[in-house]
Amino acid sequence: MNNRLHILLVLPGVLLVVALLVAPLYFVFLDTIPDLEHPFSLYEAFLEKGFHQKIIIRTIRVALITTMICVILAYPCAFFIARYARRFKAVLIVIAVFPLLLSPVVRSFAWMAILGKNGFVNDLLLFFRIIQEPVQMLYTEGAVIVGLTYLFLPLMILPLVGVIENIEEDLLDSAKSLGAKDIIVFFQIILPLSASGLLVGCILVFTGSLTAYTTPRLLGGDQAMTLSTLIYQNAMTLFEWDAASVIAIIMITLTILVMKIIGSLATRMNPDV
Amino acid sequence: MKRSGLVLIVSILLVYIFLIGPLVIIGFSGFNESEFLDFPPKVYSFRWFFRIFESDMFVSAFQTSLLISVLGATGALLVGLPAAYSLSRTRAKWRRSVLSLFMSPVIVPGVVLGFALLKHVVIALDIEVWTGMVMGHMLIMLPYVIRVIVSSLSNVPIEIEEAAVSLGCSNTHAFLIVVLPNIRSGILAACLLAFITSLNDGPVTIFLTGPGVTTLPIQMLSYVEYYFDPTVSALSVLLMLLTVAIMIVIESTMGLSFFTKK
């Protein structure tokens, strides 16, 4: 088939994305620079407030911690699923995929019930007399991190399983037979060879946590706001559309930055990625 | 090796308790007789399940969700199927950039997408709430539709299509009778994935809701902020059952190994 026909077939889709995504985003960007003589005046006004700075820093910190926890939890898990699980492999993958397809509202609500004043964790701690009265766990940064880790852990496990499966058994065996300790095998062989999966997982988890809305709203509330709850508040409650536009551009910039940084880190770990 | 093996087993056990535990707790609390979310429940009952269907709130929100995702998926499929076909067959230079353009709704943060759509499409062009909602959902479903169908098309060798054409079929006819039957399960999986994306979406939708037009997740979101009772637990149980059903179909059409590949 000729090129013109191919172009004709993708055209409706391209137009749709341009009309509903590219153009509106471009206009949002234009909204943030109303005055060309002082192009950054709106950004300066937004960033001046300590409250806003705090939220930006908190959003990045929460995403960073969530990603690190996910890496630590996912590696052993993915290694086990890919190498040793055998007939349990399918079951373990199904259990990891299942929460991924479930509504984030349900998954965050579960943690509201667990971390609440009369929740499971407080009940347990009271029962064992570790605490005397219920502790406030909901509407804290910690609650948001737990909720986000729960939300995104499968997104770290699954790509890692995919790449660890492809590492040749002989490679690990020969390293071990030459006397390499487990920890050396991990850092010298498994880590570099699974870098591509780690990269995908980190990008998904980091950008996901940076931009998640439901979880910070339900588990963080007004006390532990992130950029996504802040943009909603500015746009829909305060009707501060200039501020909302600034936040939108900051969020997109952060997302792209994170993808670039993680991408270059992965190339350094394994130049073949 | 033995000790690290034990560490491995224990850590995977803890991770899986972390993954399943919350769902078990919420599942049990849906069958609780009392008005609190205590675990385990002292008395079991179905009263919260009846409660869901007694009030119109959740039923009509679910109907709205269904209608929006069906309309959105139809639109995404109409636009996405030809695009996916073209992307899987062409070798032109623009292929990569068009593919990443189609994936961009996944990369752009949902709240940003929702805000931009609201401000510069729905309000700027004075579009009805319903239409705006369907457009937004079409946009977030498109990447899934295209990705799944492209990968499903890559398993259909171009030769069988060429054979049909050389035997006198027109391009369109060859697509309809040779290619389409071969990607039926891919299309079904694409629709299901798109459906679940649309059904679960919070961040984009929350900017596009209007008077009388609310989807299930948004209704649940505002409900749990005011009432903390097992109604949403019971609803969660129903949604889990729906998810299981969808997973079974995805598994039988394209295999869940789809999720471990990029």
Side-chain angles (χ1 to χ4, degrees), chain B residues 35-51:
Chain B
E35 271 167 46
F36 304 105
L37 291 154
D38 38 357
F39 176 83
K42 289 170 193 74
V43 187
Y44 291 87
S45 86
F46 280 101
R47 67 182 270 214
W48 302 105
F49 287 88
F50 293 123
R51 184 67 170 270

Side-chain angles (χ1 to χ4, degrees), chain A residues 1 3 6 10 13 21 27 31 80-81 92 94 101-103 106 109 111 120 150 182 200 211 217 241 245, chain B residues 4 12 16 18-19 23 39 79 85-86 94 102 109 113 119-120 123 200 206 225 233 243 247 256 262:
Chain A
M1 267 202 280
N3 195 27
H6 280 303
V10 295
L21 183 133
F27 289 130
D31 290 340
F80 182 85
I81 296 175
L92 292 175
V94 165
L101 298 177
L102 201 60
S103 165
V106 172
F109 174 68
W111 284 98
F120 184 60
Y150 184 66
D182 285 345
V200 173
T211 60
R217 170 156 167 189
W241 287 39
S245 303
Chain B
S4 61
I12 188 164
Y16 271 83
F18 176 69
L19 281 178
L23 300 180
F39 176 83
V79 184
Y85 177 76
S86 163
W94 46 262
F102 282 141
L113 207 63
K119 190 173 178 197
H120 288 292
I123 291 182
N200 288 342
I206 201 159
E225 279 184 328
S233 307
T243 308
M247 269 178 90
L256 286 169
K262 287 171 269 175

Side-chain angles (χ1 to χ4, degrees), chain B residues 154-169:
Chain B
S154 67
N155 297 326
V156 182
I158 195 160
E159 285 78 14
I160 61 167
E161 211 180 319
E162 284 169 350
V165 173
S166 74
L167 289 172
C169 251

Side-chain angles (χ1 to χ4, degrees), chain B residues 80 83-84 87 99 102-103 142-151:
Chain B
L87 286 169
L99 197 59
F102 282 141
M103 292 305 127
L142 191 63
Y144 295 94
V145 168
I146 288 186
R147 208 180 67 171
V148 174
I149 296 180
V150 164
S151 90

